[in-house]
Amino acid sequence: MTTALDALPATLRERVPELGVDLDTWTRRMMRWHFDPDTGSPFWVTRREKLGFDPFTDITGFADLDRFGLFDKAELRAANARDLRPRGYRDRPFRVFETGGSTGVPCRIVNVTRLAYDVEIYRTVLEARGVAGGDVLAMTPGGPHAYGHFVEGLADSWRGAVHAIDFDPRWVKAALRTGDRADTYTAHLIDQTLALLAAERPTLLFTTSRLLVELAMRLPRPLHTYGIRAVCTGGTSCTAAEADFLREEHLPGVQWIDTYGNTLVGHALQADAVPGSPAVPGGTGHSYHLPPPFAVLTVVDPADPWHEVGIGQRGRVRTTTLLEDLFLPNLLERDSAVRTGPHPWFPWDGVAAVRPFLDSADAEEAVEGVY
């Protein structure tokens, strides 16, 4: 019998038709969009003459994006937000989102369409798992951070209430960088969350994996007794030991839906282990799959960022984002992961056993804090 999760690839393409576009075709479309003076952003249009190739004629498919070289986040950090907005969206409202600053000065991006795509894709996943709807407790960053806005948009899609806590992740990062501890601020976040859990009985909890571990340690009783049906976490995945602890001790009767990603690349969706398939050493039993053609995860040799490792091998994560409002080619992430093959729910390559990339002196030092 076919289940909603078995039908997920077809449902996603039906809900978001762009997901059915061939990656090479979409790449050519994005080159025309981002480098045409009438539709592209000043950020990319002004760089066209300096590329040494013509993105209209020389980029014929996704593989040709290697010609851009590695993307330097310093350029994004230095950019004015209005220079990032595509001229093709000059008459549409937009929002400015910022990264959490795990590796230094935050980066800014603009959102016109991306958030709507993220909401529709994630809502489809929740519906396939049978947990969409109801009120939401958002133990997530707010303000300039995309995560909080995404949760609000998701709840808006089914007219649910969002109970949000006051959460500034940069406070924790700043404290850690100066040698202080994060315990006091983390306790402040947990106190707010416990009060809302008891008072509002939301059905969905959104947070980060690290904060879920902290919350579990403070819970006087299991989460399902508060009315929670599913916990949705984002950011960097927790360790295998932490995942086992949460499932066995604190999440009986509650679905745990994890994603891997960040503001620049989006949400890599969780796929459950296929029965009979070998476990990934150090993994949580899940793989994470970023939906093309909007973005692509590639696991590469740390010594050669243009060489993709084989399935089952560990390497550094390299990402490319291909959206109308955000084009970032060949960005080396601060994470390492094991490359996995396609999954029945998400028929494209994924990653598993994600952990910080700490093997190179060239890697940016990440301060994750509550992520």
Side-chain angles (χ1 to χ4, degrees):
M1 182 179 69
T2 302
T3 68
L5 285 168
D6 294 329
L8 188 55
T11 306
L12 284 170
R13 288 192 294 270
E14 179 183 342
R15 297 278 188 86
V16 184
E18 291 85 350
L19 295 180
V21 179
D22 172 77
L23 181 57
D24 289 336
T25 301
W26 182 262
T27 298
R28 294 191 294 271
R29 185 184 301 179
M30 289 300 97
M31 292 302 97
R32 291 192 296 271
W33 173 265
H34 285 288
F35 290 97
D36 188 312
D38 290 332
T39 58
S41 69
F43 180 88
W44 282 114
V45 170
T46 58
R47 283 163 170 75
R48 181 178 175 183
E49 297 302 321
K50 305 172 186 176
L51 292 175
F53 60 90
D54 187 348
F56 285 0
T57 59
D58 295 330
I59 304 298
T60 61
F62 180 78
D64 293 330
L65 293 179
D66 287 2
R67 300 189 66 160
F68 282 92
L70 296 176
F71 184 78
D72 185 355
K73 280 198 290 190
E75 292 190 57
L76 194 59
R77 290 181 174 123
N80 180 277
R82 284 195 172 272
D83 287 340
L84 298 172
R85 182 176 62 158
R87 290 176 175 137
Y89 288 147
R90 62 174 64 87
D91 296 326
R92 295 181 60 173
F94 72 102
R95 293 289 181 269
V96 179
F97 294 153
E98 295 188 6
T99 62
S102 295
T103 56
V105 177
C107 298
R108 288 176 297 279
I109 64 169
V110 298
N111 169 71
V112 183
T113 61
R114 184 239 184 96
L115 198 65
Y117 286 140
D118 288 346
V119 165
E120 191 61 35
I121 291 169
Y122 204 88
R123 175 175 173 165
T124 302
V125 171
L126 291 181
E127 289 177 351
R129 290 181 175 273
V131 293
D135 292 342
V136 175
L137 172 50
M139 192 184 183
T140 60
H145 304 287
Y147 196 179
H149 293 275
F150 160 71
V151 175
E152 290 172 351
L154 190 64
D156 286 347
S157 75
W158 59 62
R159 292 176 289 281
V162 176
H163 303 284
I165 68 170
D166 229 358
F167 184 173
D168 176 6
R170 294 179 191 165
W171 185 274
V172 177
K173 297 177 195 295
L176 291 173
R177 284 193 173 100
T178 59
D180 290 341
R181 295 171 60 86
D183 302 36
T184 301
Y185 191 78
T186 301
H188 168 62
L189 301 180
I190 301 298
D191 288 343
Q192 295 177 71
T193 303
L194 290 172
L196 286 171
L197 272 175
E200 297 294 342
R201 294 189 62 81
T203 59
L204 293 173
L205 168 63
F206 280 80
T207 189
T208 70
S209 299
R210 288 177 180 255
L211 279 180
L212 180 58
V213 172
E214 296 292 333
L215 176 64
M217 300 295 288
R218 290 272 309 275
L219 280 173
R221 60 182 195 271
L223 262 177
H224 73 88
T225 64
Y226 295 91
I228 295 291
R229 297 172 59 205
V231 175
C232 305
T233 53
T236 301
S237 300
C238 58
T239 66
E242 289 170 334
D244 289 342
F245 163 74
L246 288 170
R247 289 195 194 99
E248 294 171 7
E249 301 295 332
H250 296 281
L251 297 178
V254 175
Q255 287 201 48
W256 181 12
I257 305 165
D258 193 24
T259 60
Y260 159 65
N262 55 47
T263 304
L264 301 182
V265 73
H267 304 274
L269 305 164
Q270 172 193 303
D272 295 350
V274 176
S277 62
V280 175
T284 61
H286 299 141
S287 56
Y288 302 91
H289 302 257
L290 197 64
F294 294 154
V296 176
L297 290 175
T298 307
V299 184
V300 299
D301 183 342
D304 180 2
W306 306 111
H307 174 68
E308 185 175 22
V309 304
I311 291 176
Q313 294 184 320
R314 177 171 291 278
R316 189 172 183 181
V317 177
R318 196 188 79 201
T319 63
T320 290
T321 304
L322 280 165
L323 290 162
E324 293 100 329
D325 43 14
L326 184 64
F327 170 51
L328 297 177
N330 309 315
L331 175 63
L332 281 178
E333 291 288 353
R334 58 186 175 88
D335 304 314
S336 77
V338 174
R339 179 188 172 193
T340 70
H343 188 277
W345 301 348
F346 307 116
W348 50 83
D349 275 2
V351 297
V354 179
R355 66 189 189 205
F357 179 78
L358 301 172
D359 302 323
S360 169
D362 296 329
E364 295 176 281
E365 182 181 359
V367 178
E368 294 182 329
V370 289
Y371 278 99

